[in-house]
Amino acid sequence: MNTRAQDALDLSSDQLIGSALKVMKLSVDNRRGISDQPIVKITQPEVAQKFARLARPQHHPIPIDTVLENAREVFDHRIRMDHPRFFGFIPSPASDWSWLGEVLNTAFNTHAGSWLQSSGPSAIEQSLISWMACDLLGFPPTAGGCFVSGGSMANLSALMVARDQKLDFEERTRAVIYTSDQTHSSIVKGLRILGFHDRQVAKIECDQHFRMNTAMLRLRIEHDRRSGKKPFLVVGSCGTTNTGSVDPLDELAAIAQKEDLWLHVDGAYGASAALSKSRKSLIKHVGLCDSISWDAHKWLFQTYGCGMVLVRDRKLLMDSFRTGAEYTQDAPDGPEEYPNFWNYTQELTRPARAMKLWFSFQMLGLDAVQRGIEHAFELAETAQATLERLEHWQVLSPAQMGIICFRYQPPGLDEFALENLNKEISRIAIENNVAAALTTRLSGKLVIRICSMHPDLKNDEMMQIIKSLDHIAQAKLQK
Amino acid sequence: MNTRAQDALDLSSDQLIGSALKVMKLSVDNRRGISDQPIVKITQPEVAQKFARLARPQHHPIPIDTVLENAREVFDHRIRMDHPRFFGFIPSPASDWSWLGEVLNTAFNTHAGSWLQSSGPSAIEQSLISWMACDLLGFPPTAGGCFVSGGSMANLSALMVARDQKLDFEERTRAVIYTSDQTHSSIVKGLRILGFHDRQVAKIECDQHFRMNTAMLRLRIEHDRRSGKKPFLVVGSCGTTNTGSVDPLDELAAIAQKEDLWLHVDGAYGASAALSKSRKSLIKHVGLCDSISWDAHKWLFQTYGCGMVLVRDRKLLMDSFRTGAEYTQDAPDGPEEYPNFWNYTQELTRPARAMKLWFSFQMLGLDAVQRGIEHAFELAETAQATLERLEHWQVLSPAQMGIICFRYQPPGLDEFALENLNKEISRIAIENNVAAALTTRLSGKLVIRICSMHPDLKNDEMMQIIKSLDHIAQAKLQK
């Protein structure tokens, strides 16, 4: 009975160091070489079948060189969200420091649920969150929050607090939530999780700049009250995914105050503009909201998944998420400034996600982070300036917060032909590894969209990419 | 305008390799030295204040040696959940291979939300999940699921599917959920998130072995139906946190089928017994449930956070979690066997958590994993055998699934004195770094609890720990 399983499950120092160096080499080679790699690579069916077989564990260990080669091939089949020329969705131009911060974090494997379990990392998390909420966004000192896996979870957490603060249980079925038609899909998904019906969500139209039309919002609230419904929550966007637009947050805050609504803001990527001295005025009213979601794995150069939920009054998180059980009796709450973070969020067990952002900030310094954020603005502006000098390109949403939407619109083509043409331009640019600018729809029209966030992409490279899109467009048109 | 932010945010190959080696060294030193480190270390107030100052970023970079020394000190203040002598909660005896798998995973920084973005890692995830669900747990080929951050999220996901499959929207307020009094706290928390009121949860008593009393369950369902309520969900446990007990899952499945209830099983740590040939009969009925949660960061030797939600019919996940937006139109669903995982879960953005478990399985081989799991059973059995040879130690819940609860109970002490004595034994053992066996409550009585999962702890070391607890107890009693 006195078998030691250690030999099987763990390694000697020499073995560990040898293996770690191999893993490190593959990692570094990948990270250094990314600009020359395909931006988008999809698995073909026969390769997927090979991977499916590869996924099944064997009884005996496989030699590390084989496993690493297999891993390399598997990972090769992905979109490089951190490729300098990936412009789809919101990219994740993760810094090497975030990677190394996570290497460290995982090595220490902290359970960041309670003060007892992670007082060191929890003290960092608490203070970093406080700095971001108060110093950067302008929340009062009562503000707080915690790290979560990403924007979807952050939105869910905040919406839960809104529900629990603003509604009696019996009021929930007649409650109404106000979003815009540009609000991120995770909001409706979060509301569905929280028990609301899709028909309880009022999608308010946007103005021509893709910002919520507040006159329409006022009318709709009035109408809902007259119908016996219970308005309780308005969701603003600080940087929509489609266009980077920022809702008129000051007006939303005024309406929310007057109508006793919770104001949640989705700042998943846009909140990072707060770190730029020259651009932060674009989101200056963000501190007026009751809660906000903010992803560090987007515009703060972190690897996945690293998001935050911030609440104007952090104590409200505990009303919704307080956790207790017999088996946690030895991990009581610390004093108010040192919370058990499992009382702030859905997760009981949680990695110390704050530590990699902390590590990155320490290694980069804020000036570099600021330059990186401002560079994203400039890249989209460069794209716009270049497009405006070319023929037949129409900008449907100008560069803002690093996002621009446009399409190629030569005369004589109907809408159907235009859609196909622009889809083809996007497809061919990906196929030729020029850039991955995916498509979306604005006011019903298919457009090409660039979200440019990568610090490694030069402005003249962006000019060149736009010119390449133009060549692709012209060549396609001539066929 | 043609500034390149690269110099600030990224590193040359040489710089990166040099920094990576330093990070690696600190990581390896920590992982190799863990047995000699304090199991539990809590931050004192003045140190917490120092960390709070340290958390705030500066404008300029800090030298890496300083940052790494600060990081070491911060991480030092934690419970080492992967210390061989940590027995609290459910430990996380993470393998070095899981750490290295995560090093790789973070380096490649995959967005595992859609097939377009991560077809390679998604193919691995799909196949690994299928193997675990069907080959290990005995689900039919329709089964599937995905990786999530941990048990709380897995439970939330499964409960959401149960709600959406079994209830019309209008039925929700009169719905009833059945748990036992030993069910994990994340279940009630998840139900609260999903919009249910705590009073809708019926906590069924357990029998003397801490398993749900199915006769009581039947009575309660009948009573609820007569009162016009809508029973729809029963939650079984496959390894409770307190005692490791496994509910009579075959009986629960029969009741669920007869009553048209969804049967969810919390297998966060217990499901891993399926990998042990000699012990898997303990959980043989687990494949009868409709859904199950399972954490790889517990008894599958992974770092945080790595959990799974598995559902008997994977298509049902999509009824609850399907996601769509204009800006995801270029990432359509793959064929049914290649899902967009954002349609299976709350998260839109998600790291490729499957890849570190895959990497670990490849490097360890299943035989070693099996030995590691069986060793946990043996450690708790060794603790029990040792306790039974000592005077005044009472086992309140015998060794099962690697967990044992007991207390020191010399004659002549009242309940209050016994509680204090056992609390003190636990406290002193932690203070002296003998072991961290925290306390819990069973049937109202305070007990010391050991959850022993670490492959590095030898059986004779466990014997020695129990004897040390006995010495502490005797010394304390004599005072």
Side-chain angles (χ1 to χ4, degrees):
Chain A
M1 196 165 149
N2 207 346
T3 328
R4 189 166 189 178
Q6 189 235 21
D7 299 341
L9 277 165
D10 255 314
L11 301 160
S12 73
S13 283
D14 284 354
Q15 281 176 307
L16 177 56
I17 290 167
S19 305
L21 288 176
K22 289 184 178 197
V23 168
M24 205 50 112
K25 180 171 185 335
L26 176 56
S27 300
V28 169
D29 287 351
N30 168 69
R31 293 189 67 80
R32 289 303 83 178
I34 202 161
S35 293
D36 304 321
Q37 295 171 15
I39 310 167
V40 177
K41 186 161 177 181
I42 307 188
T43 311
Q44 296 308 306
E46 67 279 9
V47 180
Q49 278 170 23
K50 176 182 154 188
F51 290 166
R53 284 192 302 273
L54 212 60
R56 299 189 157 235
Q58 307 298 314
H59 283 280
H60 299 294
I62 314 285
I64 186 166
D65 293 331
T66 308
V67 177
L68 288 178
E69 174 50 27
N70 288 339
R72 193 204 56 71
E73 194 187 349
V74 169
F75 280 120
D76 187 44
H77 292 80
R78 75 188 194 285
I79 284 187
R80 283 144 182 86
M81 300 293 289
D82 45 4
H83 193 293
R85 300 192 301 278
F86 178 70
F87 300 142
F89 312 117
I90 308 288
S92 173
S95 159
D96 289 327
W97 295 120
S98 176
W99 170 54
L100 290 177
E102 185 65 16
V103 170
L104 210 57
N105 205 12
T106 316
F108 285 88
N109 197 33
T110 312
H111 183 306
S114 71
W115 183 252
L116 173 70
Q117 286 162 290
S118 75
S119 54
S122 287
I124 295 287
E125 179 164 1
Q126 175 78 338
S127 178
L128 187 56
I129 283 278
S130 169
W131 176 77
M132 298 186 82
C134 305
D135 293 44
L136 291 183
L137 299 187
F139 276 117
T142 52
C146 65
F147 281 77
V148 294
S149 71
S152 295
M153 300 316 300
N155 283 331
L156 176 62
S157 304
L159 299 177
M160 166 112 165
V161 176
R163 181 194 74 182
D164 294 351
Q165 291 300 319
K166 291 294 183 186
L167 296 175
D168 291 335
F169 190 77
E170 290 67 27
E171 289 174 325
R172 290 185 187 176
T173 49
R174 59 187 184 89
V176 189
I177 302 99
Y178 304 88
T179 72
S180 87
D181 57 25
Q182 295 295 305
T183 301
H184 192 265
S185 61
S186 61
I187 295 290
V188 169
K189 193 165 174 174
L191 291 167
R192 211 176 282 158
I193 293 170
L194 293 170
F196 296 102
H197 198 285
D198 286 3
R199 66 175 171 248
Q200 294 180 266
V201 181
K203 276 196 187 177
I204 307 297
E205 277 173 33
C206 282
D207 63 20
Q208 58 181 350
H209 305 298
F210 305 100
R211 302 178 310 175
M212 195 189 290
N213 181 325
T214 51
M216 296 290 288
L217 172 64
R218 283 196 190 85
L219 284 174
R220 179 64 191 259
I221 292 172
E222 200 186 315
H223 170 266
D224 286 336
R225 289 219 193 270
R226 276 202 310 268
S227 323
K229 291 183 180 152
K230 170 79 185 176
F232 84 100
L233 167 63
V234 58
V235 180
S237 297
C238 176
T240 57
T241 305
N242 262 339
T243 67
S245 61
V246 178
D247 282 330
L249 300 177
D250 51 345
E251 290 181 55
L252 294 187
I255 294 170
Q257 180 157 28
K258 175 169 171 286
E259 299 281 350
D260 190 26
L261 312 181
W262 185 278
L263 174 58
H264 173 65
V265 168
D266 184 337
Y269 94 94
S272 296
L275 277 91
S276 156
K277 275 202 192 100
S278 65
R279 308 284 186 153
K280 69 179 174 189
S281 65
L282 289 169
I283 63 161
K284 64 185 166 195
H285 301 300
V286 77
L288 298 173
C289 66
D290 295 297
S291 58
I292 187 167
S293 56
W294 187 356
D295 277 347
H297 60 221
K298 293 193 165 94
W299 213 358
L300 289 177
F301 313 110
Q302 298 303 294
T303 58
Y304 298 121
C306 193
M308 289 164 277
V309 56
L310 305 175
V311 178
R312 168 174 295 273
D313 180 354
R314 63 182 176 272
K315 287 202 299 294
L316 305 184
L317 284 163
M318 298 223 268
D319 291 347
S320 290
F321 292 115
R322 180 175 285 289
T323 302
E326 300 92 344
Y327 43 82
T328 59
Q329 67 183 8
D330 289 347
D333 289 359
E336 199 235 326
E337 64 271 35
Y338 306 127
N340 283 347
F341 279 112
W342 64 36
N343 289 329
Y344 273 30
T345 180
Q346 300 95 330
E347 297 174 321
L348 186 75
T349 300
R350 52 199 292 277
R353 301 181 179 104
M355 288 301 289
K356 67 178 167 184
L357 182 59
W358 170 79
F359 185 80
S360 304
F361 277 163
Q362 297 289 308
M363 293 307 306
L364 288 167
L366 289 177
D367 290 349
V369 176
Q370 170 168 325
R371 282 197 300 277
I373 291 168
E374 290 172 358
H375 184 62
F377 281 94
E378 291 165 15
L379 282 170
E381 287 156 5
T382 300
Q384 180 169 350
T386 313
L387 285 164
E388 286 169 351
R389 283 194 296 270
L390 296 169
E391 262 193 327
H392 305 318
W393 288 92
Q394 189 194 10
V395 172
L396 279 88
S397 172
Q400 58 182 336
M401 307 276 280
I403 296 180
I404 178 171
C405 296
F406 53 93
R407 66 177 187 171
Y408 190 61
Q409 195 165 329
L413 294 186
D414 64 14
E415 189 58 32
F416 182 76
L418 283 178
E419 294 221 347
N420 278 336
L421 177 58
N422 281 278
K423 270 190 215 167
E424 277 296 287
I425 295 168
S426 166
R427 190 188 63 73
I428 294 168
I430 292 171
E431 199 174 270
N432 296 345
N433 219 34
V434 168
L438 305 184
T439 72
T440 186
R441 273 182 195 282
L442 289 186
S443 313
K445 287 183 179 170
L446 183 132
V447 295
I448 299 174
R449 174 180 168 280
I450 284 181
C451 178
S452 57
M453 294 199 154
H454 208 296
D456 282 7
L457 190 73
K458 295 182 201 171
N459 286 322
D460 54 9
E461 289 170 328
M462 177 60 93
M463 285 172 60
Q464 205 48 58
I465 288 168
I466 297 295
K467 287 178 188 164
S468 298
L469 293 182
D470 188 52
H471 293 153
I472 292 169
Q474 291 186 37
K476 191 73 200 167
L477 197 61
Q478 280 165 11
K479 274 188 195 163
Chain B
M1 196 164 148
N2 206 346
T3 328
R4 189 166 189 177
Q6 190 235 21
D7 299 342
L9 277 165
D10 255 314
L11 302 159
S12 73
S13 282
D14 284 354
Q15 282 177 306
L16 176 57
I17 290 167
S19 305
L21 288 175
K22 289 184 177 195
V23 169
M24 205 51 112
K25 181 172 185 333
L26 176 56
S27 300
V28 169
D29 287 352
N30 167 70
R31 293 189 67 80
R32 289 304 83 178
I34 202 161
S35 293
D36 304 321
Q37 295 170 16
I39 310 167
V40 177
K41 186 162 177 181
I42 307 188
T43 311
Q44 297 308 307
E46 67 279 10
V47 179
Q49 278 170 25
K50 176 181 154 188
F51 290 166
R53 284 192 301 274
L54 213 60
R56 299 188 157 235
Q58 307 298 314
H59 283 279
H60 300 294
I62 314 284
I64 187 166
D65 293 331
T66 308
V67 177
L68 288 178
E69 174 50 26
N70 288 339
R72 193 204 56 72
E73 194 187 349
V74 169
F75 280 120
D76 187 44
H77 292 80
R78 74 188 194 286
I79 285 188
R80 282 145 183 84
M81 301 292 289
D82 45 4
H83 193 293
R85 300 191 302 277
F86 178 70
F87 301 142
F89 313 115
I90 308 288
S92 173
S95 159
D96 289 327
W97 295 120
S98 177
W99 170 54
L100 290 177
E102 185 65 15
V103 171
L104 210 56
N105 205 11
T106 316
F108 285 88
N109 196 34
T110 312
H111 182 307
S114 71
W115 183 252
L116 173 71
Q117 285 161 291
S118 74
S119 54
S122 287
I124 295 288
E125 179 164 0
Q126 174 78 338
S127 178
L128 186 57
I129 283 277
S130 169
W131 176 77
M132 298 186 81
C134 305
D135 294 44
L136 291 184
L137 299 187
F139 277 117
T142 51
C146 65
F147 281 77
V148 294
S149 71
S152 295
M153 300 316 301
N155 283 332
L156 175 63
S157 303
L159 300 177
M160 166 111 166
V161 176
R163 181 194 76 183
D164 294 351
Q165 291 300 319
K166 291 293 183 188
L167 296 175
D168 291 335
F169 190 77
E170 290 67 27
E171 290 174 325
R172 289 185 187 175
T173 49
R174 59 187 185 88
V176 189
I177 302 99
Y178 303 88
T179 72
S180 87
D181 57 25
Q182 295 295 306
T183 301
H184 192 264
S185 61
S186 61
I187 295 290
V188 169
K189 193 165 174 175
L191 291 167
R192 210 176 283 158
I193 293 170
L194 292 171
F196 295 102
H197 199 285
D198 286 3
R199 67 175 171 247
Q200 294 180 266
V201 181
K203 276 196 188 178
I204 307 297
E205 277 173 34
C206 282
D207 63 20
Q208 59 181 350
H209 304 298
F210 305 100
R211 301 177 312 174
M212 195 189 290
N213 181 325
T214 51
M216 296 290 287
L217 172 64
R218 282 196 190 86
L219 283 175
R220 179 65 192 258
I221 293 172
E222 200 186 315
H223 170 267
D224 285 336
R225 288 216 193 273
R226 276 202 310 269
S227 322
K229 291 182 179 154
K230 170 80 185 174
F232 84 101
L233 166 63
V234 58
V235 180
S237 296
C238 175
T240 58
T241 306
N242 262 339
T243 67
S245 61
V246 178
D247 283 330
L249 300 177
D250 50 345
E251 290 180 56
L252 294 187
I255 294 170
Q257 181 158 28
K258 175 168 171 286
E259 299 281 350
D260 190 26
L261 312 181
W262 185 278
L263 174 58
H264 173 66
V265 168
D266 184 338
Y269 94 94
S272 296
L275 277 90
S276 157
K277 275 202 192 96
S278 66
R279 308 283 186 154
K280 69 179 175 190
S281 65
L282 289 169
I283 63 161
K284 64 185 166 195
H285 302 299
V286 77
L288 298 173
C289 65
D290 295 298
S291 58
I292 187 167
S293 56
W294 187 357
D295 276 348
H297 60 222
K298 293 192 165 96
W299 213 359
L300 289 177
F301 313 110
Q302 298 303 293
T303 58
Y304 298 121
C306 192
M308 288 164 278
V309 56
L310 305 176
V311 178
R312 168 174 296 272
D313 180 354
R314 63 181 176 272
K315 286 201 300 293
L316 305 184
L317 285 163
M318 299 224 268
D319 291 348
S320 290
F321 292 115
R322 180 175 286 288
T323 302
E326 300 92 344
Y327 42 81
T328 59
Q329 66 182 9
D330 289 347
D333 289 358
E336 200 235 326
E337 64 272 34
Y338 306 127
N340 283 347
F341 279 112
W342 63 37
N343 289 329
Y344 273 30
T345 180
Q346 300 94 329
E347 297 174 321
L348 185 75
T349 300
R350 52 198 292 277
R353 301 180 178 105
M355 288 302 289
K356 67 178 167 185
L357 182 60
W358 170 78
F359 185 80
S360 304
F361 278 163
Q362 297 289 308
M363 293 307 306
L364 288 167
L366 288 177
D367 290 348
V369 176
Q370 170 168 326
R371 282 197 300 278
I373 291 168
E374 290 172 358
H375 184 62
F377 281 94
E378 290 166 15
L379 283 170
E381 287 156 5
T382 300
Q384 179 169 350
T386 313
L387 285 164
E388 285 169 351
R389 284 193 296 270
L390 296 170
E391 262 194 327
H392 305 318
W393 288 91
Q394 189 194 10
V395 173
L396 280 89
S397 172
Q400 59 181 336
M401 307 276 280
I403 296 180
I404 178 170
C405 296
F406 53 94
R407 66 177 187 172
Y408 191 61
Q409 196 165 328
L413 293 187
D414 64 13
E415 190 57 32
F416 182 76
L418 283 177
E419 293 221 348
N420 278 337
L421 177 58
N422 281 279
K423 270 190 215 167
E424 277 296 287
I425 296 168
S426 166
R427 190 188 62 74
I428 294 167
I430 292 171
E431 199 174 88
N432 297 345
N433 219 33
V434 168
L438 305 184
T439 72
T440 186
R441 275 181 194 281
L442 290 186
S443 313
K445 288 182 179 169
L446 184 132
V447 295
I448 299 174
R449 174 180 168 282
I450 284 181
C451 178
S452 57
M453 294 199 154
H454 208 296
D456 282 8
L457 190 73
K458 295 182 201 172
N459 286 323
D460 54 8
E461 289 170 328
M462 177 59 93
M463 287 172 60
Q464 206 46 59
I465 289 168
I466 297 295
K467 287 177 188 163
S468 298
L469 293 182
D470 188 51
H471 294 154
I472 292 169
Q474 291 187 37
K476 191 73 200 167
L477 197 61
Q478 280 165 11
K479 274 189 194 162

